mmCIF file of all heavy atoms in Angstrom:
data_model
loop_
_atom_site.group_PDB
_atom_site.id
_atom_site.type_symbol
_atom_site.label_atom_id
_atom_site.label_comp_id
_atom_site.label_asym_id
_atom_site.label_seq_id
_atom_site.Cartn_x
_atom_site.Cartn_y
_atom_site.Cartn_z
ATOM 1 N N LYS A 1 -27.532 42.621 10.844
ATOM 2 C CA LYS A 1 -26.320 43.251 11.351
ATOM 3 C C LYS A 1 -25.933 44.475 10.537
ATOM 4 O O LYS A 1 -25.350 45.423 11.053
ATOM 5 C CB LYS A 1 -25.153 42.247 11.348
ATOM 6 C CG LYS A 1 -25.410 40.982 12.162
ATOM 7 C CD LYS A 1 -25.583 41.311 13.650
ATOM 8 C CE LYS A 1 -25.752 40.037 14.463
ATOM 9 N NZ LYS A 1 -25.975 40.341 15.902
ATOM 10 N N GLU A 2 -26.239 44.445 9.245
ATOM 11 C CA GLU A 2 -25.854 45.530 8.363
ATOM 12 C C GLU A 2 -26.914 46.636 8.380
ATOM 13 O O GLU A 2 -28.117 46.369 8.431
ATOM 14 C CB GLU A 2 -25.670 45.026 6.927
ATOM 15 C CG GLU A 2 -24.588 43.966 6.781
ATOM 16 C CD GLU A 2 -23.215 44.543 7.091
ATOM 17 O OE1 GLU A 2 -23.026 45.759 6.881
ATOM 18 O OE2 GLU A 2 -22.340 43.775 7.534
ATOM 19 N N ALA A 3 -26.438 47.869 8.335
ATOM 20 C CA ALA A 3 -27.363 49.005 8.337
ATOM 21 C C ALA A 3 -28.210 49.038 7.076
ATOM 22 O O ALA A 3 -29.380 49.452 7.116
ATOM 23 C CB ALA A 3 -26.583 50.316 8.479
ATOM 24 N N ASP A 4 -27.651 48.599 5.941
ATOM 25 C CA ASP A 4 -28.417 48.604 4.702
ATOM 26 C C ASP A 4 -29.607 47.661 4.784
ATOM 27 O O ASP A 4 -30.703 47.958 4.267
ATOM 28 C CB ASP A 4 -27.516 48.209 3.527
ATOM 29 C CG ASP A 4 -26.484 49.286 3.225
ATOM 30 O OD1 ASP A 4 -26.682 50.427 3.692
ATOM 31 O OD2 ASP A 4 -25.489 48.987 2.544
ATOM 32 N N SER A 5 -29.438 46.500 5.439
ATOM 33 C CA SER A 5 -30.544 45.559 5.592
ATOM 34 C C SER A 5 -31.635 46.152 6.484
ATOM 35 O O SER A 5 -32.833 46.013 6.202
ATOM 36 C CB SER A 5 -30.027 44.245 6.183
ATOM 37 O OG SER A 5 -29.013 43.684 5.377
ATOM 38 N N MET A 6 -31.217 46.817 7.544
ATOM 39 C CA MET A 6 -32.204 47.478 8.414
ATOM 40 C C MET A 6 -32.935 48.584 7.666
ATOM 41 O O MET A 6 -34.159 48.757 7.812
ATOM 42 C CB MET A 6 -31.506 48.061 9.648
ATOM 43 C CG MET A 6 -30.764 47.042 10.492
ATOM 44 S SD MET A 6 -29.886 47.848 11.862
ATOM 45 C CE MET A 6 -28.948 46.473 12.532
ATOM 46 N N LEU A 7 -32.185 49.336 6.852
ATOM 47 C CA LEU A 7 -32.788 50.418 6.087
ATOM 48 C C LEU A 7 -33.794 49.886 5.081
ATOM 49 O O LEU A 7 -34.874 50.464 4.884
ATOM 50 C CB LEU A 7 -31.686 51.208 5.375
ATOM 51 C CG LEU A 7 -32.057 52.598 4.853
ATOM 52 C CD1 LEU A 7 -32.412 53.528 6.006
ATOM 53 C CD2 LEU A 7 -30.911 53.196 4.053
ATOM 54 N N GLU A 8 -33.479 48.771 4.444
ATOM 55 C CA GLU A 8 -34.415 48.168 3.497
ATOM 56 C C GLU A 8 -35.673 47.670 4.197
ATOM 57 O O GLU A 8 -36.779 47.794 3.678
ATOM 58 C CB GLU A 8 -33.728 47.015 2.757
ATOM 59 C CG GLU A 8 -34.599 46.374 1.700
ATOM 60 C CD GLU A 8 -33.869 45.281 0.951
ATOM 61 O OE1 GLU A 8 -32.682 45.036 1.260
ATOM 62 O OE2 GLU A 8 -34.482 44.670 0.053
ATOM 63 N N LEU A 9 -35.515 47.131 5.401
ATOM 64 C CA LEU A 9 -36.670 46.640 6.156
ATOM 65 C C LEU A 9 -37.585 47.780 6.581
ATOM 66 O O LEU A 9 -38.812 47.659 6.492
ATOM 67 C CB LEU A 9 -36.185 45.874 7.387
ATOM 68 C CG LEU A 9 -37.272 45.465 8.391
ATOM 69 C CD1 LEU A 9 -38.189 44.399 7.790
ATOM 70 C CD2 LEU A 9 -36.639 44.953 9.686
ATOM 71 N N LEU A 10 -37.009 48.911 7.002
ATOM 72 C CA LEU A 10 -37.793 49.972 7.626
ATOM 73 C C LEU A 10 -38.230 51.074 6.670
ATOM 74 O O LEU A 10 -39.160 51.824 6.996
ATOM 75 C CB LEU A 10 -36.992 50.603 8.777
ATOM 76 C CG LEU A 10 -36.627 49.662 9.922
ATOM 77 C CD1 LEU A 10 -35.737 50.373 10.925
ATOM 78 C CD2 LEU A 10 -37.877 49.126 10.612
ATOM 79 N N CYS A 11 -37.588 51.195 5.500
ATOM 80 C CA CYS A 11 -37.878 52.316 4.617
ATOM 81 C C CYS A 11 -38.379 51.916 3.231
ATOM 82 O O CYS A 11 -39.056 52.717 2.578
ATOM 83 C CB CYS A 11 -36.630 53.209 4.469
ATOM 84 S SG CYS A 11 -36.105 53.983 6.013
ATOM 85 N N VAL A 12 -38.035 50.748 2.768
ATOM 86 C CA VAL A 12 -38.504 50.324 1.440
ATOM 87 C C VAL A 12 -39.936 49.816 1.563
ATOM 88 O O VAL A 12 -40.230 48.978 2.424
ATOM 89 C CB VAL A 12 -37.581 49.225 0.872
ATOM 90 C CG1 VAL A 12 -38.115 48.724 -0.471
ATOM 91 C CG2 VAL A 12 -36.165 49.768 0.719
ATOM 92 N N PRO A 13 -40.875 50.337 0.721
ATOM 93 C CA PRO A 13 -42.283 49.910 0.833
ATOM 94 C C PRO A 13 -42.429 48.400 0.664
ATOM 95 O O PRO A 13 -41.921 47.804 -0.282
ATOM 96 C CB PRO A 13 -42.965 50.661 -0.318
ATOM 97 C CG PRO A 13 -42.080 51.834 -0.590
ATOM 98 C CD PRO A 13 -40.684 51.371 -0.308
ATOM 99 N N SER A 14 -43.101 47.786 1.648
ATOM 100 C CA SER A 14 -43.370 46.347 1.603
ATOM 101 C C SER A 14 -44.483 46.056 2.606
ATOM 102 O O SER A 14 -44.808 46.888 3.468
ATOM 103 C CB SER A 14 -42.108 45.537 1.951
ATOM 104 O OG SER A 14 -41.713 45.790 3.289
ATOM 105 N N GLN A 15 -45.061 44.873 2.485
ATOM 106 C CA GLN A 15 -46.110 44.481 3.416
ATOM 107 C C GLN A 15 -45.554 44.305 4.825
ATOM 108 O O GLN A 15 -46.218 44.615 5.820
ATOM 109 C CB GLN A 15 -46.766 43.174 2.944
ATOM 110 C CG GLN A 15 -47.970 42.751 3.784
ATOM 111 C CD GLN A 15 -49.080 43.784 3.751
ATOM 112 O OE1 GLN A 15 -49.366 44.366 2.711
ATOM 113 N NE2 GLN A 15 -49.719 44.016 4.906
ATOM 114 N N HIS A 16 -44.317 43.821 4.921
ATOM 115 C CA HIS A 16 -43.698 43.641 6.229
ATOM 116 C C HIS A 16 -43.517 44.988 6.928
ATOM 117 O O HIS A 16 -43.792 45.124 8.125
ATOM 118 C CB HIS A 16 -42.341 42.937 6.069
ATOM 119 C CG HIS A 16 -41.821 42.377 7.353
ATOM 120 N ND1 HIS A 16 -40.635 41.692 7.446
ATOM 121 C CD2 HIS A 16 -42.327 42.384 8.624
ATOM 122 C CE1 HIS A 16 -40.432 41.331 8.701
ATOM 123 N NE2 HIS A 16 -41.450 41.735 9.425
ATOM 124 N N ARG A 17 -43.066 46.001 6.172
ATOM 125 C CA ARG A 17 -42.906 47.339 6.743
ATOM 126 C C ARG A 17 -44.255 47.908 7.173
ATOM 127 O O ARG A 17 -44.383 48.526 8.238
ATOM 128 C CB ARG A 17 -42.243 48.254 5.720
ATOM 129 C CG ARG A 17 -42.107 49.698 6.184
ATOM 130 C CD ARG A 17 -41.450 50.545 5.073
ATOM 131 N NE ARG A 17 -41.358 51.929 5.486
ATOM 132 C CZ ARG A 17 -42.346 52.817 5.349
ATOM 133 N NH1 ARG A 17 -43.497 52.426 4.830
ATOM 134 N NH2 ARG A 17 -42.174 54.065 5.745
ATOM 135 N N THR A 18 -45.295 47.686 6.370
ATOM 136 C CA THR A 18 -46.638 48.164 6.738
ATOM 137 C C THR A 18 -47.126 47.492 8.014
ATOM 138 O O THR A 18 -47.727 48.134 8.879
ATOM 139 C CB THR A 18 -47.624 47.896 5.587
ATOM 140 O OG1 THR A 18 -47.152 48.537 4.405
ATOM 141 C CG2 THR A 18 -49.012 48.434 5.919
ATOM 142 N N ASN A 19 -46.846 46.195 8.161
ATOM 143 C CA ASN A 19 -47.253 45.483 9.369
ATOM 144 C C ASN A 19 -46.517 46.020 10.604
ATOM 145 O O ASN A 19 -47.088 46.115 11.701
ATOM 146 C CB ASN A 19 -47.001 43.994 9.204
ATOM 147 C CG ASN A 19 -47.892 43.374 8.133
ATOM 148 O OD1 ASN A 19 -48.953 43.924 7.815
ATOM 149 N ND2 ASN A 19 -47.477 42.260 7.574
ATOM 150 N N ILE A 20 -45.243 46.365 10.421
ATOM 151 C CA ILE A 20 -44.485 46.941 11.552
ATOM 152 C C ILE A 20 -45.087 48.273 11.977
ATOM 153 O O ILE A 20 -45.280 48.548 13.170
ATOM 154 C CB ILE A 20 -43.004 47.108 11.163
ATOM 155 C CG1 ILE A 20 -42.336 45.739 10.996
ATOM 156 C CG2 ILE A 20 -42.260 47.925 12.211
ATOM 157 C CD1 ILE A 20 -40.895 45.816 10.507
ATOM 158 N N LEU A 21 -45.430 49.116 10.996
ATOM 159 C CA LEU A 21 -46.057 50.409 11.303
ATOM 160 C C LEU A 21 -47.407 50.210 12.001
ATOM 161 O O LEU A 21 -47.739 50.914 12.967
ATOM 162 C CB LEU A 21 -46.234 51.219 10.030
ATOM 163 C CG LEU A 21 -45.062 52.099 9.601
ATOM 164 C CD1 LEU A 21 -45.303 52.658 8.213
ATOM 165 C CD2 LEU A 21 -44.848 53.214 10.596
ATOM 166 N N ALA A 22 -48.188 49.244 11.515
ATOM 167 C CA ALA A 22 -49.483 48.974 12.134
ATOM 168 C C ALA A 22 -49.312 48.489 13.571
ATOM 169 O O ALA A 22 -50.085 48.865 14.468
ATOM 170 C CB ALA A 22 -50.254 47.947 11.302
ATOM 171 N N TRP A 23 -48.292 47.665 13.816
ATOM 172 C CA TRP A 23 -48.059 47.191 15.186
ATOM 173 C C TRP A 23 -47.660 48.341 16.099
ATOM 174 O O TRP A 23 -48.123 48.421 17.248
ATOM 175 C CB TRP A 23 -46.965 46.120 15.168
ATOM 176 C CG TRP A 23 -46.689 45.558 16.528
ATOM 177 C CD1 TRP A 23 -47.320 44.508 17.130
ATOM 178 C CD2 TRP A 23 -45.721 46.055 17.478
ATOM 179 N NE1 TRP A 23 -46.817 44.308 18.386
ATOM 180 C CE2 TRP A 23 -45.833 45.236 18.631
ATOM 181 C CE3 TRP A 23 -44.795 47.065 17.459
ATOM 182 C CZ2 TRP A 23 -45.040 45.436 19.756
ATOM 183 C CZ3 TRP A 23 -44.005 47.263 18.578
ATOM 184 C CH2 TRP A 23 -44.127 46.459 19.720
ATOM 185 N N ILE A 24 -46.807 49.251 15.617
ATOM 186 C CA ILE A 24 -46.406 50.407 16.434
ATOM 187 C C ILE A 24 -47.624 51.273 16.754
ATOM 188 O O ILE A 24 -47.815 51.705 17.895
ATOM 189 C CB ILE A 24 -45.328 51.227 15.704
ATOM 190 C CG1 ILE A 24 -44.056 50.395 15.509
ATOM 191 C CG2 ILE A 24 -45.004 52.497 16.475
ATOM 192 C CD1 ILE A 24 -42.994 51.106 14.684
ATOM 193 N N CYS A 25 -48.479 51.525 15.756
ATOM 194 C CA CYS A 25 -49.672 52.349 15.985
ATOM 195 C C CYS A 25 -50.604 51.684 16.990
ATOM 196 O O CYS A 25 -51.201 52.358 17.840
ATOM 197 C CB CYS A 25 -50.394 52.596 14.668
ATOM 198 S SG CYS A 25 -49.479 53.642 13.507
ATOM 199 N N SER A 26 -50.739 50.360 16.900
ATOM 200 C CA SER A 26 -51.585 49.645 17.854
ATOM 201 C C SER A 26 -51.002 49.694 19.261
ATOM 202 O O SER A 26 -51.749 49.736 20.245
ATOM 203 C CB SER A 26 -51.764 48.190 17.411
ATOM 204 O OG SER A 26 -52.353 48.119 16.129
ATOM 205 N N SER A 27 -49.670 49.719 19.366
ATOM 206 C CA SER A 27 -49.043 49.800 20.685
ATOM 207 C C SER A 27 -49.207 51.194 21.284
ATOM 208 O O SER A 27 -49.385 51.334 22.495
ATOM 209 C CB SER A 27 -47.554 49.455 20.577
ATOM 210 O OG SER A 27 -47.391 48.149 20.069
ATOM 211 N N VAL A 28 -49.158 52.202 20.439
ATOM 212 C CA VAL A 28 -49.346 53.578 20.930
ATOM 213 C C VAL A 28 -50.792 53.816 21.301
ATOM 214 O O VAL A 28 -51.105 54.393 22.351
ATOM 215 C CB VAL A 28 -48.867 54.589 19.864
ATOM 216 C CG1 VAL A 28 -49.195 56.013 20.302
ATOM 217 C CG2 VAL A 28 -47.378 54.446 19.629
ATOM 218 N N ASN A 29 -51.712 53.377 20.444
ATOM 219 C CA ASN A 29 -53.141 53.568 20.673
ATOM 220 C C ASN A 29 -53.823 52.208 20.571
ATOM 221 O O ASN A 29 -54.049 51.713 19.471
ATOM 222 C CB ASN A 29 -53.714 54.546 19.648
ATOM 223 C CG ASN A 29 -55.196 54.817 19.882
ATOM 224 O OD1 ASN A 29 -55.754 54.453 20.915
ATOM 225 N ND2 ASN A 29 -55.832 55.470 18.921
ATOM 226 N N PRO A 30 -54.165 51.580 21.697
ATOM 227 C CA PRO A 30 -54.787 50.247 21.640
ATOM 228 C C PRO A 30 -56.080 50.214 20.832
ATOM 229 O O PRO A 30 -56.428 49.168 20.273
ATOM 230 C CB PRO A 30 -55.043 49.910 23.116
ATOM 231 C CG PRO A 30 -54.052 50.750 23.871
ATOM 232 C CD PRO A 30 -53.900 52.009 23.081
ATOM 233 N N ASN A 31 -56.788 51.323 20.761
ATOM 234 C CA ASN A 31 -58.031 51.347 19.981
ATOM 235 C C ASN A 31 -57.775 51.231 18.485
ATOM 236 O O ASN A 31 -58.685 50.924 17.722
ATOM 237 C CB ASN A 31 -58.796 52.642 20.264
ATOM 238 C CG ASN A 31 -59.264 52.721 21.702
ATOM 239 O OD1 ASN A 31 -59.565 51.700 22.313
ATOM 240 N ND2 ASN A 31 -59.312 53.922 22.245
ATOM 241 N N PHE A 32 -56.551 51.498 18.082
ATOM 242 C CA PHE A 32 -56.233 51.415 16.661
ATOM 243 C C PHE A 32 -56.349 49.975 16.166
ATOM 244 O O PHE A 32 -56.849 49.723 15.074
ATOM 245 C CB PHE A 32 -54.817 51.934 16.414
ATOM 246 C CG PHE A 32 -54.425 51.960 14.961
ATOM 247 C CD1 PHE A 32 -54.742 53.042 14.172
ATOM 248 C CD2 PHE A 32 -53.731 50.896 14.391
ATOM 249 C CE1 PHE A 32 -54.381 53.072 12.824
ATOM 250 C CE2 PHE A 32 -53.372 50.916 13.061
ATOM 251 C CZ PHE A 32 -53.697 52.003 12.272
ATOM 252 N N GLY A 33 -55.903 49.016 16.972
ATOM 253 C CA GLY A 33 -55.939 47.622 16.548
ATOM 254 C C GLY A 33 -57.264 46.943 16.781
ATOM 255 O O GLY A 33 -57.549 45.909 16.189
ATOM 256 N N SER A 34 -58.119 47.519 17.658
ATOM 257 C CA SER A 34 -59.396 46.885 17.970
ATOM 258 C C SER A 34 -60.558 47.557 17.267
ATOM 259 O O SER A 34 -61.692 47.423 17.674
ATOM 260 C CB SER A 34 -59.640 46.946 19.484
ATOM 261 O OG SER A 34 -59.645 48.296 19.933
ATOM 262 N N SER A 35 -60.269 48.326 16.229
ATOM 263 C CA SER A 35 -61.337 49.013 15.513
ATOM 264 C C SER A 35 -62.179 48.025 14.723
ATOM 265 O O SER A 35 -61.737 46.957 14.319
ATOM 266 C CB SER A 35 -60.745 50.063 14.571
ATOM 267 O OG SER A 35 -61.759 50.656 13.793
ATOM 268 N N LYS A 36 -63.445 48.415 14.493
ATOM 269 C CA LYS A 36 -64.358 47.555 13.732
ATOM 270 C C LYS A 36 -63.973 47.493 12.261
ATOM 271 O O LYS A 36 -64.445 46.638 11.534
ATOM 272 C CB LYS A 36 -65.789 48.081 13.863
ATOM 273 C CG LYS A 36 -66.333 48.014 15.285
ATOM 274 C CD LYS A 36 -67.752 48.538 15.331
ATOM 275 C CE LYS A 36 -68.314 48.460 16.759
ATOM 276 N NZ LYS A 36 -69.691 48.985 16.840
ATOM 277 N N ALA A 37 -63.100 48.433 11.837
ATOM 278 C CA ALA A 37 -62.732 48.469 10.421
ATOM 279 C C ALA A 37 -61.501 47.632 10.118
ATOM 280 O O ALA A 37 -60.848 47.829 9.097
ATOM 281 C CB ALA A 37 -62.479 49.921 9.990
#
């Protein structure tokens, strides 16, 4: 509910934030998530 909590989730470096970015990239480009790498 608090903006500070959202800001910490989306801007502070963490594995959860990296996973969110990876999910967005996979949604934009499906080949991003199905790569052999």
